[in-house]
């Protein structure tokens, strides 16, 4: 049977950074450890004033196509996943294709272009669409380009402000992929929720605390649904567990629940019983509150055990390395987590071929999806090309006052001009930039050599 999956990946981070511990926390009068330890974040990426979701997506896709030696004719679909679209009719993929056609000779005249929306899970849904298109045999030997691109900005003083971020992940979805193949089996947890939404507004309305609970509930349902088709999942089945990472602290919470679930009725639960007792079973309690108290006590004990800490450090922590330094990229976030894990393995010289990943995506509103991926023999060649470390290092470090100006520039409701021109913090080089407005209100772009 033909395998379908991710053939190659490229990442583009916004070119500015806000240091959360040293710049944001003092300006807010907060303890820096709320960010570094509580949320697990060191810094956020922001787009420079000439960057937006189109430039970041087009720059990631351009690099990916160059690395892979692709021409537009090799691409049969371009799907963009975003929560930051600025046009309710013309999809962002058409803007990105227009950019790419400036630098490639051919055109995407026969590619199906679209835009996917379901909060942060839309990137994974776009991969799903590409998978189905290839499996259905409609691709004529071509690949799909999936681009997850977002400027995850919150209103100033919203609690979410600390978790902002901006960047794009471009992925090539192909038959016989070189990076990871996707399982046919997948699980969903889906419900009509109002935890995070943008009803025709740029910045989200967020019930942050509730969104954390909804994430955990939908993820649990998705895992149970996945197990119903793929069989029981245990703690040692997967090399890494990349999960949607709005901030690493969220994944830290989810990982503890996942570990409890995956070790139930296994030798690990037996081994841990001497130290922290067995897992509370609902049927053994007279009422919900007693059961919940017992669960809380068990979880408190579990997170201190050597067994859990070793598993977390090996399977989960490596997925968070990039996120810690760039913040939330919404649709791109889980794809950053996967890349972060593979990059860690590559940097450590670990042989990952044939190993499996358990990938958990989540979108507010709300839906979680879980599937498995198998790392391919050629994975190292695809990770070797990534320049994300250099990109992170090169970002311009904003002062708090500069951050506020950049936030205003990207705020659609504010017109900001400085001396007639919007100030830039970095100099664009070999990349697409925003070039002003067209006669029908469209955004225009150009490539800077
Ligand atoms: N040292 C160490 N940890 C600290 C700390 C300190 N000085 N101060 C606070 N913390 C911890 C808190 O205990 C908390 O951890 P816990 O949840 O494990 O208890 C964490 O840091 C965050 O602090 P909290 O006071 O809860 O932050 P907040 O009220 O400002 O907001 C969110 C947190 C997540 C609600 C907010 O960032 C948000 O709305 N984010 C956007 C929505 C989102 O991303 N949702 C996730 C699902 S998609």
């Amino acid at each position: 049977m033909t395998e379908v999956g991710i053939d190659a990946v490229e990442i583009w981070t916004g070119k500015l950074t806000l240091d959360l511990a040293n710049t944001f926390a003092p300006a807010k009068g907060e303890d820096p450890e709320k960010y570094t330890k509580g949320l697990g974040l060191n810094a956020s990426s922001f787009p420079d004033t000439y960057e937006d979701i189109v430039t970041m997506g087009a720059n990631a896709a351009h690099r990916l196509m160059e690395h892979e030696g692709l021409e537009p004719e090799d691409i049969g679909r371009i799907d963009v996943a975003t929560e930051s679209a600025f046009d309710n009719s013309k999809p962002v993929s058409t803007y990105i294709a227009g950019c790419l056609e400036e630098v490639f000779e051919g055109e995407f005249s026969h590619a199906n272009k679209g835009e996917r929306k379901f909060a942060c899970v839309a990137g994974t849904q776009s991969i799903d669409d590409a998978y189905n298109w290839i499996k259905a045999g409609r691709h004529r030997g071509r690949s799909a380009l999936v681009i997850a691109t977002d400027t995850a900005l919150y209103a100033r003083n919203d609690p979410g402000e600390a978790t902002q971020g901006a960047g794009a992940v471009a992925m090539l979805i192909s038959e016989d992929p070189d990076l990871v193949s996707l399982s046919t089996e997948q699980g969903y947890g889906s419900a009509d929720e109002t935890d995070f939404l943008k009803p025709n507004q740029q910045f989200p309305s967020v019930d942050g605390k509730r969104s954390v609970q909804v994430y955990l509930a939908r993820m649990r349902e998705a895992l149970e649904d996945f197990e119903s088709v793929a069989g029981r999942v245990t703690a040692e089945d997967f090399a890494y567990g990349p999960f949607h990472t709005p901030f690493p602290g969220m994944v830290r919470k989810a990982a503890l629940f996942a570990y409890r679930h995956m070790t139930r009725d296994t030798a690990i639960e037996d081994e841990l019983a001497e130290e922290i007792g067995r897992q509370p079973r609902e049927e053994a309690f007279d009422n919900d509150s007693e059961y919940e108290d017992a669960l809380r006590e068990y979880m408190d004990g579990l997170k201190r055990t050597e067994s859990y800490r070793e598993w977390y450090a090996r399977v989960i922590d490596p997925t968070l390395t990039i996120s810690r330094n760039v913040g939330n990229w919404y649709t791109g976030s889980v794809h950053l987590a996967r890349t972060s894990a593979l990059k860690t393995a590559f940097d450590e010289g670990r042989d990952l071929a044939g190993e499996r990943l358990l990938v958990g995506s989540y979108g507010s509103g709300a839906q979680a999806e879980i599937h498995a991926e198998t790392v391919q023999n050629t994975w190292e060649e695809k990770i070797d090309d990534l320049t994300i470390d250099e990109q992170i290092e090169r970002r311009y470090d904003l002062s708090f006052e500069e951050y506020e100006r950049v936030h205003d520039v990207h705020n659609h409701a504010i017109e900001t001009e400085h001396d007639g021109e919007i100030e830039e913090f970095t100099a664009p080089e070999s990349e697409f930039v925003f070039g002003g407005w067209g006669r029908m209100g469209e955004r225009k772009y150009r490539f800077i050599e």
Side-chain angles (χ1 to χ4, degrees), residues 3 179-183 353-357 372-376:
E3 295 288 345
L179 193 56
V180 292
S181 64
L182 307 184
S183 65
E355 299 242 30
R356 299 174 77 220
L357 314 178
E373 298 183 355
T374 306
V375 181
Q376 302 297 292

Side-chain angles (χ1 to χ4, degrees), residues 31 33-34 38-39 154 159-160 163 206 208-209 211 246-247 253 362:
D31 181 349
E33 294 203 338
K34 171 176 173 183
L39 297 172
Y154 290 76
T163 67
V206 196
K209 303 282 186 219
S211 75
F247 53 94
K253 286 185 206 291
Y362 171 77

Side-chain angles (χ1 to χ4, degrees), residues 16 34 43 211 311 332 349 399 407 409 449:
L16 309 178
K34 171 176 173 183
S211 75
W311 176 84
S399 67
H407 196 281
V409 167
E449 295 292 345

Side-chain angles (χ1 to χ4, degrees), residues 148-355:
T149 180
D150 271 300
T151 46
L153 298 183
Y154 290 76
R156 294 237 276 283
N157 298 321
D158 185 290
E161 193 182 8
T163 67
Q164 297 177 114
V169 181
M171 291 164 284
L172 191 70
I173 312 302
S174 309
E175 217 166 353
D176 297 327
D178 282 343
L179 193 56
V180 292
S181 64
L182 307 184
S183 65
T184 310
E185 297 81 13
Q186 52 183 173
Y188 286 101
S190 191
D192 176 12
E193 295 277 5
T194 44
D195 53 333
F196 173 114
L197 53 156
K198 296 183 180 181
N200 287 326
Q201 63 197 44
Q202 185 189 3
F203 300 135
S205 299
V206 196
D207 185 341
K209 303 282 186 219
R210 172 145 182 77
S211 75
V212 169
Q213 294 314 317
V214 176
Y215 176 118
L216 295 172
R218 302 291 86 79
M219 217 43 118
R220 192 197 66 233
E221 292 158 5
L223 183 57
E224 287 168 355
D225 192 40
F226 176 71
E227 287 183 310
S228 76
V229 283
R232 179 79 202 275
V233 169
T234 64
E236 293 311 316
D237 292 345
F238 296 94
Y240 295 110
F243 274 51
H244 170 54
T245 313
F247 53 94
M250 180 70 243
V251 175
R252 199 172 53 220
K253 286 185 206 291
L256 188 62
F257 281 96
Y259 192 73
R260 187 187 86 205
H261 180 90
M262 292 191 286
T263 54
R264 191 173 307 141
D265 295 322
T266 67
I268 299 178
E269 187 189 3
D270 296 342
E271 280 161 29
L272 291 175
E274 273 186 32
E275 211 179 322
I276 54 170
R278 296 187 67 76
Q279 296 192 16
R281 267 51 175 188
E282 197 171 358
E283 54 278 12
F285 291 85
D286 292 335
N287 60 57
D288 287 352
S289 94
E290 278 178 24
Y291 173 55
E292 277 157 23
D293 286 348
L295 270 185
R296 242 189 311 278
E297 197 183 321
Y298 184 82
M299 301 284 271
D300 263 355
L302 184 63
K303 77 174 166 221
R304 292 189 179 85
T305 62
E306 186 51 34
S307 165
Y308 172 71
R309 290 160 79 100
E310 186 279 325
W311 176 84
Y312 182 86
R314 179 166 46 86
V315 177
I316 305 297
D317 197 57
T319 69
L320 306 174
T321 314
I322 301 176
S323 161
R324 253 194 280 281
N325 294 306
V326 302
N328 192 358
W329 288 12
Y330 287 164
T331 54
S333 153
V334 63
H335 309 293
L336 271 186
R338 175 199 300 102
T339 312
S340 177
L342 296 176
K343 217 180 133 324
T344 305
F346 179 82
D347 292 344
E348 291 172 352
R350 179 169 169 192
D351 179 13
L352 215 55
E355 299 242 30

Side-chain angles (χ1 to χ4, degrees), residues 12 15 48-51 59 424-434 446-449:
W12 183 278
K15 294 169 79 175
D48 204 333
T49 52
Y50 55 83
E51 292 187 289
N59 286 322
E424 296 172 353
F425 294 89
T426 59
E429 197 186 325
S430 303
E431 66 190 86
F432 297 102
V433 298
F434 173 66
R446 59 176 199 274
F447 189 75
I448 302 283
E449 295 292 345

